[in-house]
Amino acid sequence: PDDLIIIDREGKPAGAGTPSSEIKLHLRIYDRRPDCHAVVHAHPITATSFSVAGRDIPSDLLPEAAFVLGRVATVPFAVPGTEDVPDSI
């Protein structure tokens, strides 16, 4: 919890800490999806491995994921912190 950064809709932190260089991605999600009230940004090793290999993440990797998530969307590589990242979604 100490590592969580809470921001407003303009990207200003509500407390201590500095938002990720991917803040533009988060703000774009909030802009396009008003029903989303939080973004959890992570780089789990298995998901990252599939992405680096250029493969989609299988929807049947875990039964829970197949039931809850369905297909996990991926996007092509974009340089962190650039407009290419939010534009990719």
Side-chain angles (χ1 to χ4, degrees):
D2 293 340
D3 292 333
L4 293 177
I5 307 295
I6 299 172
I7 61 167
D8 64 17
R9 293 263 179 186
E10 285 74 46
K12 296 181 187 105
T18 302
S20 161
S21 65
E22 300 306 331
I23 189 67
K24 294 173 185 177
L25 171 68
H26 296 227
L27 294 174
R28 181 74 57 89
I29 292 168
Y30 293 140
D31 182 53
R32 300 283 172 91
R33 293 285 308 269
D35 59 318
C36 290
H37 300 286
V39 175
V40 177
H41 186 148
H43 295 256
I45 191 69
T46 303
T48 301
S49 299
F50 275 105
S51 182
V52 168
R55 299 191 53 197
D56 289 336
I57 299 170
S59 62
D60 61 351
L61 201 58
L62 293 171
E64 297 86 348
F67 180 72
V68 175
L69 297 176
R71 183 179 172 277
V72 176
T74 57
V75 296
F77 174 80
V79 176
T82 67
E83 289 297 324
D84 292 338
V85 174
D87 288 348
S88 71
I89 63 165

